[in-house]
């Protein structure tokens, strides 16, 4: 029987993204979203209790001569179906997490509900890139590459200028491009490779080492600097290590002060829900948006990920 | 085990048949194996019904329901300790297995009173032929045994037949939550509403607890129904002797359902601790305990550690700690790590001095994420000024306690969308 709660439950199928704040474990985010969704579902109107008929006998007092037993039929609610006895109607929703973010990082985290989990698996099966913003600071090196770790080394950074930084970034990008070509499993001297490169389909299928397909400096104000990175198969610790290595290449040291994911596949910062909006109604709206965007995409018959445009594919 | 129980049972039966011993066998009980009960997860309830005809049937009455006997074809019979005392039948151990006494439909007990005694001679038990003509009273009194499972993992199988459970549901007790706890479901089934539950509810009403709170109290502390009334009364008397008013005692019991389960000695110990450690006056101690009665319920070790943290790690002076505790007693039971984290942010990043934090202790109770986002937003806008002597001062309590819209419009002078967008840049 389709009560409003059940209809709402059936509408909760699909993908959406949230903005994970830093300092919070991704599992906590997933649990909070699941709890809020269950709260929203269980709060929608519940049905009245079913009734059953029972025959109640009135005890006859001993002084009177019993003329006949008075048996009355009354309709009593079946308490076995009461929510205080059976528990809430919805107790579990399948919420899956996309590419995970560690506790130190923040940014877009994709979550999938119900059957959306299958869609998410398919999405991550295709080659999907992610965009990050890395905040760095020159002058210190720590053991876990972040500014909260134990300091291992300090150095000067007065000699670092914008052009030196750009040179180092270009060198890194070149190295990564080579890795990209190597993992493409295609002979570089063939026509097939050329066609794939034109369409931007070069790259590893499935798991490989982390590859940065794009790297540039957004902001440089010594000692602080900000990088924008586009990458595949990465972990956030690898990205912090990249910042550390940039410091080393510049004959100085650097730590990463923040890792922020701005895009995960087709999900951008604009669609992400901040933690004030992790309620059932907002999530339903976000899923509806995702579905409408998906249908729009299919109507344009674009089969590959639109964000995979090779803007930074310059080979050095 | 079962076979030995069976033999024991058969022995008992023959023993009883030969002698006409007045006993209070009411109905047979079907009992699970002792081993099974101990191995099985604690949620399994043993739903046999050894009914004690306590409300209506007298002790001397003996009852042997032919139907009940056929219905419960059993392996063994275990007696509860009360029945054992009455009869003196040896050899029955009530070790692990606890038979349930779920008072079946109260109507049935009323009917039993009106019926005649059936003799215990089982061999000559009346054969009830289906074609026999009987009167209406007898016809009504032959009640069909309800299909209650002998053991179940959930109380919903018993709630319609059990008077106690139905009345508890009507009071608002969350049986589903209670049956998750080990052995609580079994205990609730065994209670009798008129002798166990009602007196205690009346007691709570007498001390001033509102009727609407009964459900909450029993859901959080079902063991209040098994605490003896003398103990409950003595604890209430103790609290009143410490000059807590009756309304205060009622509100304390409402807020901390476990309060009356603790002995007078323990309550005294804790009150003494708070008074001595914090060097507070008796009225201040009464004040904080009345506002946060769970201070009297939990253990004192975390409180001692929190006090040490405040003194040593955070560096508050004694009078500052006193002021903080009187304003926000929850600091005593807060998580140490979170407390240190918030203080670290306040002192080192927001550069708020100790005396200002002590003046607004509510910040120590707030969420770290909320504080951080709001502070960074104000800093981005250039409005993060927490010194009362300078212009454009923002007080700490308004910073954390205002809801988002009012914070944005009044303190930050920006829109809520801007705040949202800013949060996505952190």
């Amino acid at each position: 029987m389709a009560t409003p709660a059940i209809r709402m439950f059936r509408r909760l199928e699909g993908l959406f993204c949230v903005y994970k704040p830093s300092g919070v474990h991704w599992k906590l985010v997933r649990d909070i979203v699941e709890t809020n969704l269950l709260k929203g579902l269980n709060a929608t109107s519940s049905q009245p209790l079913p009734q059953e008929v029972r025959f109640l006998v009135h005890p006859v007092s001993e002084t009177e001569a019993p003329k006949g037993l008075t048996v009355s039929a009354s309709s009593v609610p079946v308490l076995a179906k009461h929510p205080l006895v059976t528990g809430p109607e919805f107790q579990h929703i399948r919420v899956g997490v996309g590419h995970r973010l560690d506790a130190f990082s923040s940014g877009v985290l994709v979550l999938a509900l119900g059957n959306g989990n299958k869609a998410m698996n398919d999405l991550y099966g295709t080659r999907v890139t992610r965009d990050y913003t890395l905040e760095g600071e020159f002058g210190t090196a720590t053991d876990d590459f972040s500014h909260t770790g134990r300091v291992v080394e300090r150095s000067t950074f007065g000699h670092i200028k914008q052009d030196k930084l750009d040179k180092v970034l270009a060198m890194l990008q070149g190295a990564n491009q080579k890795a990209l070509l190597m993992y493409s499993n295609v002979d570089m001297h063939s026509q097939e490779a050329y066609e794939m490169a034109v369409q931007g389909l070069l790259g590893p299928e499935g798991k490989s080492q982390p590859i940065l397909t794009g790297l540039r400096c957004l902001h440089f104000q010594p000692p602080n600097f900000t990088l924008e990175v586009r990458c595949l198969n990465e972990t956030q610790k690898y990205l912090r290590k990249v910042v550390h290595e940039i410091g080393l290449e510049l004959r100085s040291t650097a730590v990463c002060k923040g890792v922020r994911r701005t895009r995960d596949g087709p999900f951008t910062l604009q669609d992400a829900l901040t933690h004030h909006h992790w309620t059932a109604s907002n999530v339903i709206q976000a899923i509806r948006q995702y579905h409408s965007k998906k249908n729009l995409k299919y109507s344009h018959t674009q089969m590959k990920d639109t964000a995979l445009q090779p803007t930074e594919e310059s080979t050095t | 085990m079962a076979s030995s129980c069976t033999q024991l049972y058969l022995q008992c039966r023959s023993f009883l048949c030969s002698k006409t011993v007045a006993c209070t066998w009411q109905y047979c009980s079907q009992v699970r194996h002792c081993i099974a009960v101990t191995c099985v997860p604690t949620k399994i309830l043993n739903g046999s019904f050894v009914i004690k005809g306590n409300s209506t049937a007298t002790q001397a009455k003996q009852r042997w329901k032919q139907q009940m006997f056929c219905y419960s074809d059993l392996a063994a019979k275990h007696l509860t300790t009360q029945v054992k005392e009455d009869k003196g039948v040896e050899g029955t151990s009530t070790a692990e297995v606890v038979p349930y006494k779920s008072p079946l439909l109260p109507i049935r007990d009323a009917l039993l009173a009106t019926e005649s005694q059936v003799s215990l001679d089982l061999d000559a038990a009346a054969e009830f032929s289906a074609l026999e003509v009987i009167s209406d009273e007898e016809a009504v009194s032959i009640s069909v045994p309800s299909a209650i499972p002998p053991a179940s993992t959930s109380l919903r199988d018993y709630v319609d037949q059990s008077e106690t459970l139905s009345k508890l549901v009507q009071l608002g007790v969350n049986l589903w939550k209670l049956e998750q706890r080990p052995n609580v479901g079994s205990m609730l089934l065994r209670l009798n509403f008129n002798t166990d539950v009602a007196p205690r509810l009346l007691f709570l009403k007498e001390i001033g607890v509102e009727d609407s709170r009964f459900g909450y109290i029993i859901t959080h502390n079902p063991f209040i129904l098994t605490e003896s009334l003398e103990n409950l009364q003595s604890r209430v008397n103790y609290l009143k002797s410490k000059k807590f008013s009756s309304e205060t005692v009622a509100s304390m019991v409402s807020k901390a359902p476990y309060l009356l389960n603790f002995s007078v000695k323990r309550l005294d110990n804790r009150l003494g601790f708070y008074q001595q450690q914090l060097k507070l006056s008796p009225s201040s101690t009464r004040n904080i305990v009345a506002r946060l009665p769970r201070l009297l319920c939990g253990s004192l070790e975390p409180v001692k550690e929190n006090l040490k943290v405040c003194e040593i790690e955070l560096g508050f002076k004694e009078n500052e700690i006193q002021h903080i505790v009187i304003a926000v007693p929850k600091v005593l039971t807060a998580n140490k790590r979170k407390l240190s984290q918030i203080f670290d942010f306040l002192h080192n990043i927001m550069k708020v001095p100790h005396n200002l934090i002590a003046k607004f202790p509510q910040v120590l109770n707030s969420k770290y994420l909320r504080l951080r986002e709001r502070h960074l937003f104000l800093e981005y806008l250039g409005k993060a000024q927490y010194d009362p002597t300078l212009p454009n001062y923002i007080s700490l309590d308004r910073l954390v306690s205002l809801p988002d819209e009012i914070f944005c419009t009044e303190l930050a002078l920006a829109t809520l969308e801007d705040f949202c967008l800013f949060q996505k840049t952190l």
Side-chain angles (χ1 to χ4, degrees):
Chain A
M1 190 173 13
T3 62
I6 293 182
R7 265 187 238 122
M8 192 162 135
F9 183 66
R10 294 220 187 99
R11 255 183 279 150
L12 284 178
E13 305 263 337
L15 299 170
F16 65 103
C17 59
V18 297
Y19 189 87
K20 181 187 98 67
S22 80
V24 174
H25 197 270
W26 59 266
K27 191 157 188 294
L28 189 65
V29 171
R30 194 209 74 88
D31 290 340
I32 293 176
V33 169
E34 186 177 351
T35 313
N36 287 349
L37 284 172
L38 285 172
K39 251 195 247 178
L41 279 175
N42 288 323
T44 51
S45 60
S46 52
Q47 294 171 291
L49 284 179
Q51 308 257 333
E52 78 171 1
V53 174
R54 279 209 215 147
F55 295 101
L56 303 177
V57 181
H58 302 290
V60 180
S61 64
E62 319 233 332
T63 51
E64 295 173 5
K67 285 188 218 144
L69 289 171
T70 43
V71 180
S72 62
S74 62
S75 177
V76 288
V78 174
L79 285 175
K81 304 272 193 271
H82 195 279
L84 283 179
V85 180
T86 58
E89 198 181 336
F90 298 101
Q91 290 177 22
H92 178 65
I93 300 183
R94 267 190 313 155
V95 180
V97 178
H99 203 85
R100 300 193 284 262
L101 271 176
D102 64 353
F104 177 77
S105 331
S106 60
V108 172
L109 183 68
V110 178
L111 297 176
L113 294 180
N115 290 335
N117 283 296
K118 261 186 251 165
M120 191 162 68
N121 284 337
D122 297 337
L123 178 67
Y124 287 122
T126 64
R127 200 154 45 91
V128 155
T129 57
R130 287 166 275 273
D131 277 356
Y132 286 84
T133 309
L134 303 173
E135 310 261 338
E137 187 181 342
F138 290 119
T140 32
T142 54
D143 55 350
D144 67 347
F145 316 127
S146 74
H147 70 293
T148 54
R150 187 176 56 91
V151 174
V152 167
E153 195 184 322
R154 284 193 205 274
S155 64
T156 59
F157 49 87
H159 57 278
I160 304 179
K161 303 283 181 274
Q162 176 86 45
D163 56 340
K164 281 196 197 160
L165 182 63
D166 288 338
K167 262 195 217 157
V168 167
L169 293 183
M171 183 210 65
L172 263 181
Q173 205 167 342
N176 274 290
Q177 197 70 16
K178 250 198 206 163
L180 184 77
L181 297 177
M182 195 169 67
Y183 278 97
S184 302
N185 284 337
V186 128
D187 184 9
M188 280 301 122
H189 301 287
S190 64
Q191 177 67 15
E192 186 191 347
Y194 170 73
E195 276 162 21
M196 281 177 74
V198 160
Q199 289 174 346
L201 291 176
L202 281 178
E205 297 287 328
K207 296 212 188 288
S208 75
Q209 70 169 45
I211 297 182
L212 311 177
T213 57
L215 183 60
R216 70 183 169 126
C217 176
L218 284 180
H219 183 68
F220 177 70
Q221 188 94 29
N224 300 313
F225 63 101
T226 312
L227 301 175
E228 191 186 353
V229 170
R230 176 172 294 183
C231 44
L232 287 171
N233 287 334
E234 82 296 349
T235 58
Q236 286 81 43
K237 191 158 182 196
Y238 178 78
L239 295 173
R240 293 200 285 274
K241 197 170 167 204
V242 163
V243 172
H244 176 258
E245 279 169 9
I246 288 176
L248 290 179
E249 289 290 329
L250 288 166
R251 315 262 182 86
S252 174
T253 47
V255 283
C256 180
K257 284 201 300 193
V259 176
R260 188 168 69 102
R261 183 147 78 197
T262 50
R263 183 185 63 83
D264 186 343
F267 296 97
T268 57
L269 263 190
Q270 263 182 328
D271 326 315
L273 300 171
T274 51
H275 65 95
H276 300 293
H277 301 299
W278 290 348
T279 58
S281 43
N282 292 99
V283 167
I284 293 179
Q285 213 177 5
I287 291 182
R288 224 179 271 155
Q289 258 180 350
Y290 155 76
H291 280 303
S292 59
K293 241 205 299 187
K294 196 175 63 164
N295 293 337
L296 207 64
K297 246 207 241 177
Y298 276 137
S299 70
H300 285 218
T301 62
Q302 274 181 337
M303 296 310 290
K304 68 170 192 274
D305 193 53
T306 50
L308 272 184
Q309 259 136 37
T311 47
E312 273 105 13
E313 226 189 30
S314 56
T315 50
T316 47
Chain B
M1 178 87 189
S3 55
S4 62
C5 287
T6 319
Q7 284 164 5
L8 189 61
Y9 159 64
L10 289 168
Q11 275 172 13
C12 289
R13 216 186 86 187
S14 55
F15 170 64
L16 287 167
C17 291
S18 51
K19 292 188 183 183
T20 49
V21 172
C23 58
T24 55
W25 288 95
Q26 302 292 332
Y27 304 171
C28 308
S29 57
Q30 173 178 357
V31 158
R32 311 240 331 142
H33 294 254
C34 302
I35 307 155
V37 166
T38 48
C39 289
V40 154
T42 48
K43 273 167 60 167
I44 300 257
L45 309 175
N46 192 338
S48 57
F49 13 98
V50 175
I51 307 283
K52 306 234 124 244
N54 41 15
S55 50
T56 51
T58 60
Q59 294 297 319
K61 208 172 282 189
Q62 43 200 3
R63 175 94 33 237
W64 198 261
K65 265 290 192 220
Q66 184 76 351
Q67 301 150 336
M68 287 280 108
F69 182 59
C70 310
Y71 166 63
S72 48
D73 46 338
L74 346 148
K77 188 157 303 179
H78 275 213
L79 308 175
T80 58
T81 46
Q82 291 151 314
V83 180
K84 190 162 72 163
E85 279 151 39
D86 293 333
K87 274 169 268 75
V89 177
E90 77 281 358
T92 54
S93 60
T94 55
E96 301 91 77
V97 178
V98 196
Y100 271 118
K101 174 182 70 133
S102 61
L104 287 186
L105 303 168
I107 306 116
R108 268 154 140 228
D109 282 357
L111 287 175
L112 292 177
T114 59
E115 287 202 44
S116 54
Q117 293 196 3
V118 178
S119 96
L120 247 194
D121 190 2
L122 290 174
D123 294 333
E127 290 107 11
F128 291 127
S129 156
L131 300 173
E132 200 179 313
V133 175
I134 48 174
S135 69
D136 277 346
E137 289 97 336
E138 282 182 54
V140 170
S141 68
I142 300 175
S143 39
V144 180
S146 46
I148 307 181
S152 160
T153 51
S154 162
L155 282 176
R156 74 177 87 106
D157 301 318
Y158 304 108
V159 76
D160 282 310
Q161 274 76 34
S162 164
E163 179 198 358
T164 319
L165 292 182
S166 318
K167 294 232 172 105
L168 285 178
V169 173
Q170 282 156 19
L171 277 175
V173 175
N174 194 336
L175 289 182
W176 178 71
K177 230 194 265 184
L178 282 178
E179 70 192 12
Q180 324 266 6
R181 291 168 67 168
N183 298 328
V184 170
S186 321
M187 180 204 78
L188 287 177
L189 258 184
R190 249 178 289 153
L191 294 175
N192 179 302
F193 190 80
N194 296 321
T195 56
D196 298 325
V197 182
R200 285 163 183 84
L201 294 181
L202 283 170
F203 171 78
L204 285 178
K205 196 167 167 151
E206 272 166 35
I207 58 176
V209 177
E210 285 172 16
D211 297 352
S212 49
R213 291 294 285 177
F214 288 162
Y216 172 83
I217 291 176
I218 300 179
T219 308
H220 281 82
N221 182 19
F223 302 108
I224 203 171
L225 300 174
T226 52
E227 194 70 32
S228 78
L229 280 170
E230 299 90 44
N231 282 345
L232 294 177
Q233 188 62 51
S234 63
R235 287 153 198 171
V236 170
N237 292 341
Y238 167 76
L239 287 174
K240 289 205 177 135
S241 75
K242 290 286 170 184
K243 307 210 193 71
F244 284 97
S245 73
S246 323
E247 298 87 27
T248 318
V249 174
S251 85
M252 279 165 65
V253 173
S254 288
K255 280 197 261 186
Y258 272 102
L259 187 67
L260 292 182
N261 273 47
F262 291 117
S263 64
V264 169
K265 188 169 162 208
R266 186 174 163 144
L267 294 176
D268 188 46
N269 193 17
R270 271 157 182 65
L271 278 175
F273 170 81
Y274 290 117
Q275 191 158 346
Q276 283 154 20
Q277 275 288 58
L278 301 169
K279 301 195 182 57
L280 296 172
S281 69
S283 59
S284 311
T285 322
R286 273 200 289 277
N287 185 13
I288 48 172
V289 168
R291 282 155 60 202
L292 194 67
R294 67 162 197 253
L295 285 174
L296 292 181
C297 296
S299 114
L300 288 178
E301 290 308 314
V303 176
K304 286 184 199 161
E305 287 174 11
N306 272 14
L307 284 174
K308 280 268 172 310
V309 161
C310 285
E311 200 184 307
I312 299 174
E313 200 178 319
L314 309 188
F316 282 111
K317 295 196 284 282
E318 199 176 294
N319 60 337
E320 287 173 342
I321 296 182
Q322 269 182 7
H323 179 81
I324 290 174
V325 167
I326 293 178
V328 181
K330 206 168 166 194
V331 169
L332 290 174
T333 49
N335 186 334
K336 289 192 288 289
R337 192 178 46 85
K338 290 188 187 165
L339 195 62
S340 314
Q341 195 184 29
I342 290 193
F343 179 81
D344 174 54
F345 188 78
L346 278 172
H347 193 60
N348 299 327
I349 299 179
M350 287 167 72
K351 309 278 185 236
V352 178
H354 279 92
N355 52 354
L356 206 56
I357 300 178
K359 206 164 152 197
F360 298 111
Q362 307 89 321
V363 278
L364 292 173
N365 198 17
S366 64
K367 283 205 176 40
Y368 171 72
L369 188 64
R370 187 181 167 107
L371 183 68
R372 183 168 163 261
E373 280 175 354
R374 288 186 175 189
H375 165 71
L376 290 174
F377 189 48
L378 290 175
E379 200 179 30
Y380 176 70
L381 294 172
K383 294 199 168 71
Q385 207 285 95
Y386 307 111
D387 189 352
T389 54
L390 301 174
N392 287 337
Y393 158 68
I394 291 185
S395 72
L396 288 174
D397 62 336
R398 289 193 84 200
L399 177 68
V400 293
S401 59
L402 286 180
D404 282 332
E405 305 86 44
I406 306 181
F407 164 77
C408 287
T409 45
E410 287 186 25
L411 292 187
L413 306 171
T415 58
L416 199 55
E417 290 80 26
D418 292 342
F419 188 39
C420 251
L421 284 175
F422 177 75
Q423 282 176 343
K424 293 192 197 175
T425 64
L426 288 178

